[in-house]
Amino acid sequence: EPEVTQTPSHQVTQMGQEVILRCVPISNHLYFYWYRQILGQKVEFLVSFYNNEISEKSEIFDDQFSVERPDGSNFTLKIRSTKLEDSAMYFCASNVQGTAGAFFGQGTRLTVV
Amino acid sequence: AQSVTQPDIHITVSEGASLELRCNYSYGATPYLFWYVQSPGQGLQLLLKYFSGDTLVQGIKGFEAEFKRSQSSFNLRKPSVHWSDAAEYFCAVGADSSYKLIFGSGTRLLVRP
């Protein structure tokens, strides 16, 4: 069964460093998303991406965040200068239609120290 | 604005017993409704979804959910719980105007042997 793949599974970084979280969405999917889940809290939407551009972003997704689809398979989330409060599980998701219900990856646990 | 409420933070049931997890949503039009399950250290797996039509929807792993517009609810049910169902369950709402999902805070299900 096709699945969304995220790497790495766990990343530890120092405050102020840049991190790139990587995702390989399901191959025929057209809509891509990033969500995050701070420990013990609910899953929060960050950004949606379609047709090579951001279609929607949340208030969390400020200038420190960016997304890119550098080739036909990868979808990345970059945090330019990490803060302690960026520590969370980051989930990538994709679907073939925007309203279809997204398929989520296993997540990348980001720890900022 | 859309919102989702899962009033039960924890629920404990005995193996073999029936289960109902509550979900209430707030949205002006007909929402798209989803239930996801998250096992410890895992990503989010889509259990079932409601878009329109029959208000009782069947999902994977023997789960079903019923959409009740009059109560703004989308409760998840299972007639007989298995120990492997122990996990966190998230209700989510989406909409035509936006493809993002708004998640509830989750219900942690514990299963007694």
Side-chain angles (χ1 to χ4, degrees):
Chain A
E1 184 178 322
E3 58 182 22
V4 176
T5 306
Q6 290 186 243
T7 54
S9 56
H10 192 185
Q11 176 138 10
V12 181
T13 189
Q14 290 202 324
M15 194 168 52
Q17 294 298 303
E18 174 184 287
V19 294
I20 297 176
L21 309 183
R22 303 182 189 279
C23 170
V24 179
I26 295 173
S27 62
N28 64 332
H29 286 187
L30 302 175
Y31 297 81
F32 313 112
Y33 311 85
W34 284 100
Y35 289 79
R36 80 171 186 190
Q37 185 182 29
I38 295 173
L39 190 63
Q41 298 186 24
K42 63 173 68 175
V43 178
E44 303 172 288
F45 168 78
L46 292 178
V47 66
S48 58
F49 191 87
Y50 170 72
N51 201 25
N52 283 320
E53 60 183 22
I54 290 174
S55 46
E56 187 174 1
K57 59 184 180 180
S58 71
E59 291 176 355
I60 304 167
F61 195 88
D62 62 21
D63 292 344
Q64 293 299 310
F65 291 87
S66 63
V67 289
E68 195 176 34
R69 188 154 162 82
D71 53 42
S73 59
N74 291 284
F75 180 52
T76 62
L77 174 69
K78 182 194 291 187
I79 309 175
R80 285 190 188 78
S81 177
T82 50
K83 308 184 191 74
L84 294 176
E85 54 265 36
D86 294 327
S87 295
M89 181 75 93
Y90 287 80
F91 291 107
C92 174
S94 69
N95 53 15
V96 64
Q97 240 185 307
T99 55
F103 290 83
F104 282 75
Q106 298 296 301
T108 293
R109 180 164 298 285
L110 177 65
T111 303
V112 182
V113 296
Chain B
Q2 299 158 267
S3 66
V4 178
T5 302
Q6 293 181 249
D8 304 305
I9 298 173
H10 294 104
I11 282 188
T12 302
V13 300
S14 297
E15 191 168 15
S18 64
L19 170 70
E20 182 167 26
L21 302 182
R22 296 184 290 165
C23 172
N24 293 97
Y25 68 90
S26 171
Y27 183 62
T30 300
Y32 300 114
L33 294 161
F34 307 88
W35 275 98
Y36 284 85
V37 61
Q38 184 181 32
S39 298
Q42 300 296 308
L44 296 157
Q45 183 181 23
L46 180 63
L47 283 176
L48 48 76
K49 58 193 176 190
Y50 171 79
F51 291 163
S52 64
D54 193 346
T55 56
L56 184 64
V57 293
Q58 303 297 319
I60 62 171
K61 304 186 179 189
F63 286 93
E64 66 178 27
E66 186 171 13
F67 170 60
K68 292 186 177 179
R69 184 189 300 277
S70 61
Q71 298 176 20
S72 297
S73 69
F74 188 57
N75 294 350
L76 182 72
R77 300 195 294 246
K78 185 169 185 178
S80 178
V81 167
H82 188 261
W83 64 267
S84 59
D85 294 324
E88 185 136 26
Y89 291 80
F90 292 93
C91 182
V93 63
D96 261 336
S97 57
S98 163
Y99 299 149
K100 70 183 180 190
L101 296 177
I102 305 295
F103 283 85
S105 51
T107 297
R108 183 167 297 280
L109 173 65
L110 304 173
V111 181
R112 278 193 297 257

